Amino acid sequence: MCTLEQRGNLFLLILTGDNEHRLGPTLVDSIRSALAQVKSQATPGSALITTAHGKFFSNGLDLPWAQAAGSSGFRDRLNHLVNNFKPIIADLLSLPMPTIAAVSGHAAAAGFMLAISHDYVLMKNDRSVLYMSELDIGLTFADYFMAMLKSRISDPAARRDVMLRAKKVKAEEAVRMGIVDSAHDSAESTVEAAVRLAEQLSGRKWNGEVYAEIRKAMHPEVCGLLGLSHRAVVAPRL
């Protein structure tokens, strides 16, 4: 499902296998377990990079699993998926270190949300797209999805195109829209760039608790919906 590697102060979380990395109960539990391990081992100077094997970063919630329950059970399973994914966003927003998504393939719906829940998003510049598919498949947005999109996509026209046109956004356009920080030629160069950025951030050796609280304060609506509280932390380095 996923692996966690540690390279000095850097943690590399990899969604493994050449599949769609659908965010069903098993993968969500695996990611949350990895994030808990990262948090428990965090030190000043730690940083997290999340990436994936194959042509998908993540193709969203595991809708085939929900559909397997039939029409009578689909809604209950869908609600379970939405609620089960929610803590991953909370885990990332409260992680005491900088976080970077190295998006090496398509990121759709909840996969898009997984990417933008990191502090930085780097993306492979090929046919890969960011895509909020809900409008096309006939679903409304979960409240915390909506809040995160509003928080991370500041330009109204860009936000409209993502949410009300279900636009499939490639890397270079995502950079222009302010969703992605940089575009790269291959999956390998995307991860390499993420490692370089992580090393730069790691070198600052910020207090992780302070970092996490500042991040949470940047996303008050999202954190309110996730049940995350914000508090003042004083850890002077003078």
Side-chain angles (χ1 to χ4, degrees):
M1 283 289 159
C2 71
T3 61
L4 182 65
E5 301 175 12
Q6 186 169 1
R7 304 177 183 178
N9 285 330
L10 308 187
F11 294 91
L12 186 61
L13 175 59
I14 306 171
L15 308 187
T16 57
D18 189 15
N19 55 59
E20 296 185 3
H21 308 299
R22 290 274 188 173
L23 293 157
T26 303
L27 180 54
V28 166
D29 288 348
S30 181
I31 293 171
R32 292 205 68 204
S33 177
L35 292 176
Q37 183 178 342
V38 170
K39 187 172 185 178
S40 71
Q41 297 178 11
T43 60
S46 292
L48 171 73
I49 299 167
T50 302
T51 191
H53 292 156
K55 68 177 184 178
F56 286 92
F57 179 74
S58 170
N59 202 20
L61 298 178
D62 194 354
L63 297 182
W65 177 78
Q67 291 167 331
S71 57
S72 61
F74 174 76
R75 184 177 292 274
D76 286 343
R77 281 199 175 186
L78 177 61
N79 288 336
H80 176 75
L81 289 171
V82 170
N83 292 326
N84 195 50
F85 177 63
K86 193 174 184 178
I88 285 185
I89 309 301
D91 291 344
L92 285 167
L93 291 184
S94 56
L95 203 65
M97 64 186 69
T99 59
I100 304 165
V103 179
S104 53
H106 303 302
F112 191 141
M113 300 305 302
L114 178 64
I116 66 171
S117 295
H118 292 72
D119 301 324
Y120 301 87
V121 182
L122 282 57
M123 187 173 175
K124 183 173 68 169
N125 186 28
D126 63 352
R127 298 172 62 184
S128 301
V129 296
L130 301 175
Y131 171 43
M132 292 305 292
S133 59
E134 282 80 350
L135 184 61
D136 283 339
I137 63 177
L139 297 173
T140 55
F141 292 101
D143 56 2
Y144 67 97
F145 279 34
M146 181 70 75
M148 180 59 81
L149 288 163
K150 287 163 59 181
S151 185
R152 289 303 307 268
I153 306 177
S154 58
D155 180 72
R159 194 162 59 237
R160 176 203 62 207
D161 285 349
V162 166
M163 298 165 72
L164 292 177
R165 288 184 61 191
K167 186 170 186 176
K168 296 178 180 179
V169 185
K170 292 185 178 181
E172 288 186 348
E173 184 173 12
V175 172
R176 293 193 295 270
M177 294 169 77
I179 303 170
V180 166
D181 294 283
S182 57
H184 304 272
D185 291 337
S186 66
E188 293 76 14
S189 61
T190 303
V191 173
E192 289 168 0
V195 169
R196 289 194 299 271
L197 174 58
E199 289 173 341
Q200 293 170 8
L201 298 170
S202 173
R204 302 295 296 273
K205 296 191 179 300
W206 290 307
N207 179 285
E209 190 178 10
V210 171
Y211 190 94
E213 292 301 326
I214 291 173
R215 182 200 287 121
K216 287 190 289 185
M218 291 172 62
H219 305 289
E221 183 182 357
V222 181
C223 288
L225 292 168
L226 297 175
L228 293 176
S229 59
H230 166 62
R231 62 189 182 86
V233 175
V234 179
R237 299 173 64 185
L238 303 176

